[in-house]
Amino acid sequence: MLKEIRNGLVVSCQALEDEPLHSSFIMGRMALAAEQGGALGIRANTAVDIDEIKKSVKLPVIGIVKRDFPDSEVYITPTINEVDELVRAGTEMIAIDGTSRTRPGGINLQTFFSEVKSKYPSKLLMADVSTVNEALFAEQLGFDCVSTTLVGYTKETAGQKLYENDFQVLKEMVTKVKVPVIAEGNVLTPEMARRCLEIGAHAVVVGGAITRPQTITKRFLEAMEL
């Protein structure tokens, strides 16, 4: 899959339960629109959405399951149960929270990664990280690639935007990490996406700027204020 998406656009087709487009059928149509537009891959949340998306497109899918647990801040594919769901759905790659935060049940990332690789040794795994150090540790563990998905979404990076200082975090990650680095998070324009590739990102994932009309509308209105 990594070869298939190289230098390309992956469109994140997600809508949570409280969002207007929450529907597996709608996510399938979103994925079809992305494929027709030239996307090389899809990122999707939940096995049911992935099942529908795979009926609609032939593109490879990066799968996640977002699930909250009372004893952990980790919510992107937090336990082996979510991994099992994604494997059954046939997702080509599974994205996992790769931050230093403790997972549900007090499990650390190293232990969890070992559990996943032991059960699914051939499955491609992406680490969603928030810092360069987390990316380096994920590489050390054996993740196939890392993504900047969680920059700004952890206590250590609160308020930070991926695009700050001309994508400084991405630049450092690309320089220091040997596995492919996927740019994701607050990539709001085509120009930003191109800049990520120029810096050295393996591919770019764009979600809200394409598939969340409520946030797109809000961005327009904010820019229109006189």
Side-chain angles (χ1 to χ4, degrees), residues 43 66 73-76 97 99 101 128-131 134 147-163 184-188 208 212 215 219:
R43 178 166 164 132
K66 290 181 176 177
E73 296 178 340
V74 171
Y75 61 92
I76 296 177
D97 183 306
T99 68
R101 299 178 294 186
D128 288 345
V129 301
S130 67
T131 68
E134 289 171 349
S147 174
T148 58
T149 311
L150 291 171
V151 173
Y153 295 96
T154 60
K155 289 179 180 178
E156 294 80 8
T157 64
Q160 185 177 351
K161 301 295 185 184
L162 178 63
Y163 53 75
E184 179 176 5
N186 290 292
V187 181
L188 304 177
R212 281 196 163 99
T215 61
R219 196 175 304 120

Side-chain angles (χ1 to χ4, degrees), residues 22-225:
H22 178 67
S23 159
S24 295
F25 173 77
I26 292 175
M27 290 303 102
R29 305 313 286 178
M30 279 283 193
L32 179 59
E35 181 181 52
Q36 291 179 353
L40 298 184
I42 302 294
R43 178 166 164 132
N45 174 37
T46 75
V48 291
D49 280 12
I50 292 168
D51 285 338
E52 185 63 34
I53 287 168
K54 283 190 163 291
K55 294 176 186 175
S56 304
V57 303
K58 296 180 180 178
L59 298 177
V61 176
I62 301 169
I64 65 171
V65 175
K66 290 181 176 177
R67 192 161 288 157
D68 293 322
F69 286 81
D71 62 338
S72 175
E73 296 178 340
V74 171
Y75 61 92
I76 296 177
T77 320
T79 76
I80 195 66
N81 293 329
E82 287 76 49
V83 174
D84 292 339
E85 293 171 24
L86 293 168
V87 170
R88 287 194 294 268
T91 183
E92 283 75 13
M93 181 184 291
I94 295 175
I96 291 170
D97 183 306
T99 68
S100 57
R101 299 178 294 186
T102 302
R103 312 184 78 84
I107 297 173
N108 61 31
L109 178 61
Q110 184 171 359
T111 300
F112 182 64
F113 179 83
S114 297
E115 180 182 13
V116 175
K117 290 303 286 186
S118 176
K119 193 169 186 179
Y120 303 110
S122 63
K123 181 59 64 177
L124 289 174
L125 299 178
M126 169 190 284
D128 288 345
V129 301
S130 67
T131 68
V132 175
N133 284 338
E134 289 171 349
L136 288 167
F137 185 63
E139 177 184 48
Q140 179 184 333
L141 288 178
F143 277 92
D144 299 284
C145 61
V146 299
S147 174
T148 58
T149 311
L150 291 171
V151 173
Y153 295 96
T154 60
K155 289 179 180 178
E156 294 80 8
T157 64
Q160 185 177 351
K161 301 295 185 184
L162 178 63
Y163 53 75
E164 286 178 358
N165 301 315
D166 191 27
F167 296 94
Q168 184 60 38
V169 173
L170 178 62
K171 286 179 180 177
E172 291 184 25
M173 216 172 280
V174 167
T175 300
K176 296 180 179 180
V177 178
K178 294 182 177 64
V179 296
V181 177
I182 313 296
E184 179 176 5
N186 290 292
V187 181
L188 304 177
T189 67
E191 293 74 21
M192 285 183 175
R194 180 181 178 86
R195 182 59 181 148
C196 290
L197 292 181
E198 290 173 346
I199 288 169
H202 182 85
V204 182
V205 177
V206 177
I210 296 176
T211 59
R212 281 196 163 99
Q214 71 274 25
T215 61
I216 299 169
T217 302
K218 184 178 180 182
R219 196 175 304 120
F220 267 86
L221 290 173
E222 288 174 348
M224 291 166 60
E225 290 181 359

